[in-house]
Amino acid sequence: MKAFDATRRFFHRAADHLDLDMGVRESMLMPQREVQVQVTIERDDGSLANFVGFRVQHDKSRGPMKGGLRYHHEVDLDETRSLASLMTWKTAVVNLPYGGAKGGIGVDPRSLSLREKERLTRTFVDQIHDIIGPDTDIPAPDMGTDFRVMAWFRNQWEKYHGFNPAVITGKPVEEYGAKGREEATGRGVGSLTVKTAKRLGMKPEQSRVAIQGFGNVGSHAAKFLAESQFPIVAVSDISGTYYCEKGLDIGSVFHHKLEHPQGLLEGYDRCDVLPINALLTLKDVDILIPAALGGVITEENAHQISAKAIIEAANGPIDPDADVILNDRGITILPDILANAGGVTVSYFEWVQNRQHYRWSLDRVRQELDRTLSDAFENVWQTAHEREISLRDAAFMIGISRVRRASELAGR
Ligand SMILES: NC(=O)C1=CN([C@@H]2O[C@H](COP(=O)(O)OP(=O)(O)OC[C@H]3O[C@@H](n4cnc5c(N)ncnc54)[C@H](O)[C@@H]3O)[C@@H](O)[C@H]2O)C=CC1
Ligand SMILES: O=C(O)CCC(=O)C(=O)O
C-alpha cells in the first residue's frame, strides 16, 4: 500500500469518530504546497550525479510548518506527503505551536562520501531556501541525516537570508543546537514504552523487548529501556538481527555501533545473528519497537507477531490492514504520532532557545520533554478508554480536532 493511502485511511477512521464532512476532510488532507527539485552534484571523481529532492508543506493552521529531512533511496513524493501529514497530527497531539512538513532526497546516503553529502545538502538548499524559514518551515533530522547535515543546511540558508539559527533544528550542540535533541526521539520512545507497560501491568524485568533499527532512534530507545531494567533481547539494522535470549548487553552494542563504519552492527559477535526480517516475528518478545522504515508490518506478517504491545518509533511502520488485525488480536499499539514525538518536542525547545538567545540545561530539556509527553500520553490514553477506541484513533482524533479548531478560529 502507498504510504499516503495508509495515512489517509488512519485519518478517515478518526474523522468518522469526529463526524467531519467530506469537504473539510479533503481540505485537511490536501498539502499546502509540494515542491520537487533537481539536485545535481559533482562526485569526488568529477562525474555528475542526479537526484530528486522534495519538500511537502502540509498544514500551517497551528504555526510554522515543521518536519525532518530524510536521505534514503526510497524517498519519493508519495512518502514525503504521507510523512508531512503525520507531522501535522503529531505536532498537534503534543500541542506544539507548529504545523507539519517533511522533505528528503531519493539517495542512498551510504553511497556518498562526506564531501558529496555536503554538496548534496548545499545544492538542495539552493533549490528550496526561499520556502524555508524560522517562521514558515523549519526542517530537522530524520532517517539518513544528522547534526552535520543540519549544520550545512543552516550555513547555506544563511548565505541567502542572514544569521538565524532557528531556521533548522537538530544542529550540533556547539552551533546553537539543543542539549538532548540527539537522544530525544529514542528517549521519548523509551519513556512512553515504560508508561505503556505500566498501564498494561507489565513488569520491566519480565518484559522482553525487540527493536528494529539501531540508528538514532532505536539505539537511544534501547539505552533508555536497558537503563530502566527491560531486557532487550534483539536489535536489528540493515546488516541483520542480533539476538540474545538472556538480553543483549546494550552498552557493548552501542559501543560497537560507534566504533564501526557507517554505525553498523555487522561483526557484533556477543550474541546470535539471525536474518534481518526475523526480528519482527520473534516468539519470546513482549514489546516490539519498529524503529526503522515505514510499512514493515503488513497483512502478511501481522498474524505472526507475538508481542503484547507495539511502540511505533518509526513513522508509519504498520499498514492499516495490519492495524485492524493487530487490534482484533488485542495487541496494544502506541501510534507514531505520539510514540516518536519526543524528537519534534525537543526541536521545539531548540527553536525557542534560538529565538531567545538563551540555553537550557540538559536537565531542563529532559524535564520539559517528560512533562510534554506525559500530558499527551494521558490525554490519548484517557480518550481511547472513554470512547472505547484504539490509541491510534484517539491520537488522530485529538490532533485533527486541534487543527480543525485552529482553522475555524482563523475563519476558515
Ligand atoms: N531522527 C529523529 O529524530 C526521528 C526519527 N523518526 C523516525 O524513526 C525512524 C528511524 O529514524 P532514525 O533512527 O533517525 O534513522 P537512522 O538513519 O539514524 O537509522 C535507521 C536505522 O534503521 C536501520 N534499517 C534500515 N532499514 C532496515 C531494515 N529493513 N531492517 C532493519 N533495520 C533497518 C538502519 O540500518 C539504521 O540502523 C524513521 O522512521 C524516522 O522517520 C521519527 C521521529 C524523529
Ligand atoms: O524534529 C523535528 O522537527 C521533526 C522530526 C521528524 O521528522 C519526525 O518527528 O518525524
Coordinates of all heavy atoms in Angstrom, one line a residue, residues 208-214 218 222 232-238 240-244 248 250 265 272-292 296-297 301 304-307 310-311:
R208 N 10.2 -8.5 27.7 CA 11.3 -8.7 26.7 C 11.1 -7.8 25.5 O 10.0 -7.9 24.9 CB 11.4 -10.2 26.4 CG 11.7 -11.0 27.6 CD 11.4 -12.5 27.4 NE 12.2 -13.1 26.4 CZ 13.4 -13.5 26.6 NH1 14.0 -13.4 27.8 NH2 14.1 -14.1 25.6
V209 N 12.1 -7.1 25.1 CA 11.9 -6.1 24.1 C 12.7 -6.4 22.8 O 13.9 -6.9 22.9 CB 12.4 -4.7 24.6 CG1 12.2 -3.6 23.5 CG2 11.6 -4.3 25.9
A210 N 12.2 -6.2 21.6 CA 12.9 -6.3 20.4 C 12.8 -5.0 19.6 O 11.7 -4.4 19.5 CB 12.4 -7.4 19.5
I211 N 13.9 -4.5 19.1 CA 13.9 -3.2 18.4 C 14.4 -3.3 17.0 O 15.6 -3.7 16.8 CB 14.8 -2.1 19.2 CG1 14.3 -2.1 20.7 CG2 14.8 -0.8 18.6 CD1 15.1 -1.1 21.6
Q212 N 13.6 -3.0 16.0 CA 14.0 -3.0 14.6 C 14.7 -1.6 14.3 O 14.0 -0.6 14.3 CB 12.9 -3.3 13.7 CG 13.3 -3.3 12.2 CD 12.1 -3.3 11.3 OE1 11.2 -2.6 11.4 NE2 12.2 -4.2 10.3
G213 N 15.9 -1.6 13.9 CA 16.6 -0.4 13.6 C 17.5 0.1 14.8 O 16.9 0.2 15.9
F214 N 18.8 0.3 14.5 CA 19.6 0.7 15.6 C 20.3 2.0 15.2 O 21.6 2.1 15.3 CB 20.6 -0.4 16.0 CG 21.1 -0.3 17.4 CD1 20.3 -0.6 18.5 CD2 22.4 0.1 17.7 CE1 20.7 -0.5 19.8 CE2 22.9 0.2 19.0 CZ 22.0 -0.2 20.1
G218 N 16.4 4.0 17.4 CA 16.4 2.7 18.0 C 17.5 2.6 19.1 O 17.3 2.0 20.1
A222 N 16.8 1.9 23.0 CA 17.4 0.7 23.7 C 18.1 1.1 24.9 O 18.0 0.4 26.0 CB 18.3 0.0 22.7
I232 N 16.6 -6.3 26.6 CA 16.5 -6.0 25.2 C 17.0 -7.3 24.6 O 18.2 -7.6 24.6 CB 17.3 -4.8 24.7 CG1 17.1 -3.6 25.6 CG2 17.0 -4.5 23.2 CD1 15.8 -3.0 25.6
V233 N 16.1 -8.2 24.1 CA 16.6 -9.5 23.6 C 17.1 -9.4 22.1 O 17.8 -10.3 21.7 CB 15.5 -10.6 23.7 CG1 15.3 -10.9 25.2 CG2 14.2 -10.3 23.0
A234 N 16.6 -8.4 21.4 CA 17.0 -8.4 20.0 C 17.0 -6.9 19.4 O 16.2 -6.1 19.8 CB 16.1 -9.2 19.1
V235 N 18.0 -6.6 18.6 CA 18.0 -5.4 17.9 C 18.4 -5.8 16.4 O 19.1 -6.8 16.2 CB 19.0 -4.3 18.4 CG1 18.6 -3.9 19.8 CG2 20.5 -4.8 18.4
S236 N 18.1 -4.9 15.5 CA 18.5 -5.2 14.1 C 18.9 -3.9 13.4 O 18.5 -2.8 13.8 CB 17.4 -5.9 13.3 OG 16.3 -5.0 13.1
D237 N 19.7 -4.1 12.3 CA 19.9 -3.0 11.4 C 20.0 -3.6 10.0 O 19.7 -4.8 9.9 CB 21.1 -2.1 11.8 CG 22.4 -2.8 11.7 OD1 22.5 -3.9 11.1 OD2 23.4 -2.2 12.1
I238 N 20.5 -2.9 9.0 CA 20.5 -3.5 7.7 C 21.4 -4.6 7.5 O 21.4 -5.3 6.6 CB 20.7 -2.4 6.6 CG1 21.9 -1.5 7.0 CG2 19.5 -1.6 6.2 CD1 22.6 -1.0 5.8
G240 N 21.5 -7.2 9.8 CA 21.0 -8.4 10.4 C 20.3 -8.2 11.7 O 20.2 -7.1 12.1
T241 N 19.8 -9.3 12.3 CA 19.2 -9.3 13.6 C 20.2 -9.8 14.6 O 20.7 -10.9 14.4 CB 17.9 -10.1 13.6 OG1 17.0 -9.5 12.8 CG2 17.3 -10.2 15.0
Y242 N 20.3 -9.2 15.8 CA 21.3 -9.6 16.8 C 20.5 -10.0 18.0 O 19.8 -9.1 18.6 CB 22.3 -8.4 17.1 CG 23.0 -8.1 15.8 CD1 22.5 -7.3 14.8 CD2 24.2 -8.8 15.5 CE1 23.1 -7.1 13.6 CE2 24.9 -8.5 14.3 CZ 24.3 -7.7 13.4 OH 25.0 -7.5 12.2
Y243 N 20.5 -11.3 18.4 CA 19.6 -11.8 19.4 C 20.3 -12.5 20.5 O 21.3 -13.2 20.3 CB 18.7 -12.9 18.6 CG 17.8 -13.7 19.6 CD1 16.6 -13.1 20.1 CD2 18.1 -15.0 20.0 CE1 15.8 -13.8 20.9 CE2 17.3 -15.7 20.8 CZ 16.2 -15.1 21.3 OH 15.4 -15.8 22.1
C244 N 19.8 -12.3 21.7 CA 20.4 -12.9 22.9 C 19.2 -13.3 23.8 O 18.6 -12.3 24.3 CB 21.4 -12.1 23.6 SG 22.1 -12.9 25.0
L248 N 20.6 -8.6 25.5 CA 21.8 -8.1 25.0 C 22.5 -7.1 26.0 O 21.8 -6.5 26.8 CB 21.6 -7.3 23.7 CG 21.1 -8.1 22.5 CD1 20.4 -7.2 21.5 CD2 22.2 -8.8 21.8
I250 N 23.5 -3.9 26.1 CA 23.3 -2.7 25.2 C 24.5 -1.8 25.2 O 24.8 -1.2 24.1 CB 21.9 -2.0 25.5 CG1 20.7 -2.9 25.1 CG2 21.8 -0.7 24.9 CD1 20.7 -3.3 23.6
L265 N 26.0 -2.7 12.9 CA 26.3 -3.7 13.9 C 27.0 -4.9 13.4 O 27.3 -5.9 14.1 CB 25.0 -4.2 14.6 CG 24.2 -3.0 15.3 CD1 22.9 -3.6 15.9 CD2 25.0 -2.4 16.3
D272 N 23.6 -14.3 19.1 CA 23.3 -15.0 17.8 C 22.9 -14.0 16.7 O 22.3 -12.9 17.0 CB 22.0 -15.9 18.0 CG 22.2 -16.9 19.1 OD1 23.4 -17.3 19.3 OD2 21.3 -17.3 19.7
V273 N 23.3 -14.3 15.5 CA 23.0 -13.4 14.4 C 22.0 -14.1 13.5 O 22.2 -15.2 13.0 CB 24.2 -13.0 13.5 CG1 23.9 -12.0 12.4 CG2 25.3 -12.4 14.4
L274 N 20.8 -13.4 13.3 CA 19.7 -14.0 12.6 C 19.4 -13.2 11.3 O 19.9 -12.0 11.2 CB 18.4 -14.0 13.4 CG 18.5 -14.7 14.8 CD1 17.2 -14.5 15.6 CD2 18.9 -16.1 14.7
P275 N 18.6 -13.7 10.4 CA 18.3 -12.9 9.2 C 17.6 -11.5 9.6 O 16.9 -11.5 10.6 CB 17.3 -13.7 8.4 CG 17.5 -15.1 8.9 CD 18.0 -15.0 10.3
I276 N 17.7 -10.6 8.8 CA 17.2 -9.2 9.1 C 15.7 -9.2 9.5 O 15.3 -8.5 10.4 CB 17.6 -8.3 7.9 CG1 17.1 -6.8 8.2 CG2 16.9 -8.7 6.6 CD1 17.7 -5.8 7.2
N277 N 14.9 -10.0 8.7 CA 13.4 -9.9 9.0 C 13.0 -10.7 10.1 O 11.8 -10.7 10.5 CB 12.7 -10.2 7.7 CG 12.8 -9.1 6.7 OD1 12.9 -7.9 7.2 ND2 12.8 -9.4 5.5
A278 N 13.9 -11.5 10.7 CA 13.5 -12.4 11.8 C 13.0 -11.6 13.0 O 12.2 -12.1 13.8 CB 14.6 -13.3 12.2
L279 N 13.5 -10.4 13.2 CA 13.2 -9.7 14.4 C 11.7 -9.5 14.7 O 11.2 -9.7 15.8 CB 13.9 -8.3 14.4 CG 13.7 -7.5 15.7 CD1 15.0 -6.9 16.2 CD2 12.7 -6.4 15.5
L280 N 11.0 -9.1 13.6 CA 9.6 -8.7 13.9 C 8.7 -9.9 14.4 O 7.7 -9.6 15.1 CB 9.0 -8.3 12.5 CG 9.5 -7.0 12.0 CD1 9.0 -6.7 10.6 CD2 9.2 -5.8 12.9
T281 N 9.1 -11.1 14.1 CA 8.2 -12.2 14.5 C 8.9 -13.2 15.5 O 8.4 -14.3 15.6 CB 7.8 -13.0 13.2 OG1 9.0 -13.4 12.5 CG2 6.9 -12.2 12.3
L282 N 9.8 -12.7 16.2 CA 10.4 -13.5 17.3 C 9.4 -13.9 18.3 O 8.5 -13.2 18.6 CB 11.5 -12.7 18.0 CG 12.8 -12.5 17.2 CD1 13.7 -11.5 18.0 CD2 13.6 -13.8 17.1
K283 N 9.5 -15.2 18.8 CA 8.4 -15.7 19.6 C 8.4 -15.3 21.0 O 7.3 -15.2 21.6 CB 8.5 -17.3 19.5 CG 8.1 -17.9 18.2 CD 6.5 -17.7 18.0 CE 6.1 -17.8 16.6 NZ 5.6 -16.6 15.9
D284 N 9.5 -15.0 21.6 CA 9.6 -14.7 23.0 C 9.7 -13.2 23.3 O 10.4 -12.8 24.2 CB 10.7 -15.5 23.7 CG 12.0 -15.2 23.0 OD1 12.0 -14.4 22.0 OD2 13.1 -15.6 23.6
V285 N 9.0 -12.4 22.6 CA 9.1 -10.9 22.7 C 7.7 -10.4 23.3 O 6.7 -10.7 22.8 CB 9.4 -10.3 21.4 CG1 9.1 -8.8 21.3 CG2 10.9 -10.5 21.0
D286 N 7.8 -9.5 24.3 CA 6.6 -8.9 24.8 C 6.3 -7.5 24.2 O 5.2 -7.1 24.1 CB 6.7 -8.8 26.4 CG 7.0 -10.1 27.0 OD1 6.1 -11.0 26.9 OD2 8.1 -10.3 27.5
I287 N 7.4 -6.8 23.9 CA 7.2 -5.4 23.4 C 8.1 -5.3 22.1 O 9.3 -5.5 22.1 CB 7.7 -4.3 24.4 CG1 6.9 -4.4 25.7 CG2 7.6 -2.9 23.8 CD1 7.3 -3.5 26.8
L288 N 7.4 -4.9 21.0 CA 8.1 -4.8 19.8 C 8.2 -3.3 19.4 O 7.2 -2.6 19.5 CB 7.3 -5.5 18.7 CG 7.8 -5.4 17.3 CD1 9.2 -6.0 17.1 CD2 6.8 -6.1 16.3
I289 N 9.4 -2.9 19.0 CA 9.6 -1.4 18.7 C 10.2 -1.3 17.3 O 11.4 -1.4 17.1 CB 10.5 -0.7 19.7 CG1 10.0 -1.0 21.2 CG2 10.6 0.8 19.4 CD1 10.7 -0.2 22.3
P290 N 9.3 -1.1 16.3 CA 9.9 -0.9 15.0 C 10.4 0.5 14.9 O 9.7 1.5 15.2 CB 8.6 -1.0 14.0 CG 7.4 -1.0 14.9 CD 7.9 -1.2 16.3
A291 N 11.7 0.7 14.6 CA 12.4 2.0 14.7 C 13.2 2.2 13.4 O 14.3 2.7 13.5 CB 13.2 2.1 15.9
A292 N 12.7 1.7 12.3 CA 13.4 1.9 11.0 C 12.5 2.5 10.0 O 12.1 3.6 10.0 CB 14.0 0.6 10.6
V296 N 6.5 -1.8 7.5 CA 7.1 -3.1 7.7 C 6.2 -4.2 8.3 O 6.4 -5.4 8.2 CB 8.4 -3.0 8.6 CG1 9.5 -2.2 7.9 CG2 8.1 -2.4 9.9
I297 N 5.1 -3.8 8.9 CA 4.1 -4.7 9.4 C 2.9 -4.7 8.6 O 2.2 -3.6 8.5 CB 3.8 -4.5 10.9 CG1 5.1 -4.5 11.7 CG2 2.8 -5.5 11.5 CD1 5.0 -4.2 13.2
N301 N 2.5 -10.4 7.8 CA 3.2 -10.9 9.0 C 2.5 -10.5 10.3 O 2.9 -10.9 11.4 CB 4.7 -10.3 9.0 CG 4.7 -8.8 8.9 OD1 3.7 -8.2 9.0 ND2 5.9 -8.3 8.8
Q304 N 1.8 -13.2 12.8 CA 2.9 -13.9 13.4 C 3.5 -13.1 14.5 O 4.5 -13.6 15.1 CB 3.9 -14.2 12.3 CG 3.5 -15.2 11.3 CD 4.2 -14.9 10.0 OE1 5.4 -14.6 10.0 NE2 3.5 -15.0 8.9
I305 N 3.1 -11.9 14.8 CA 3.7 -11.1 15.8 C 3.3 -11.6 17.2 O 2.1 -11.7 17.4 CB 3.4 -9.6 15.6 CG1 4.3 -9.2 14.4 CG2 3.6 -8.7 16.8 CD1 4.0 -7.8 13.8
S306 N 4.2 -11.8 18.1 CA 3.8 -12.4 19.4 C 3.8 -11.3 20.5 O 3.4 -11.6 21.6 CB 4.8 -13.5 19.7 OG 6.1 -13.0 19.9
A307 N 4.3 -10.1 20.2 CA 4.4 -9.1 21.2 C 2.9 -8.7 21.7 O 2.0 -8.8 20.9 CB 5.1 -7.9 20.7
I310 N 3.1 -2.9 20.8 CA 4.0 -2.4 19.7 C 4.1 -0.9 19.9 O 3.1 -0.2 20.0 CB 3.4 -2.7 18.3 CG1 3.2 -4.2 18.2 CG2 4.4 -2.2 17.2 CD1 2.6 -4.6 16.8
I311 N 5.3 -0.4 20.0 CA 5.5 1.0 20.2 C 6.1 1.5 18.8 O 7.2 1.2 18.5 CB 6.5 1.3 21.3 CG1 6.2 0.5 22.6 CG2 6.7 2.8 21.6 CD1 4.9 0.9 23.3

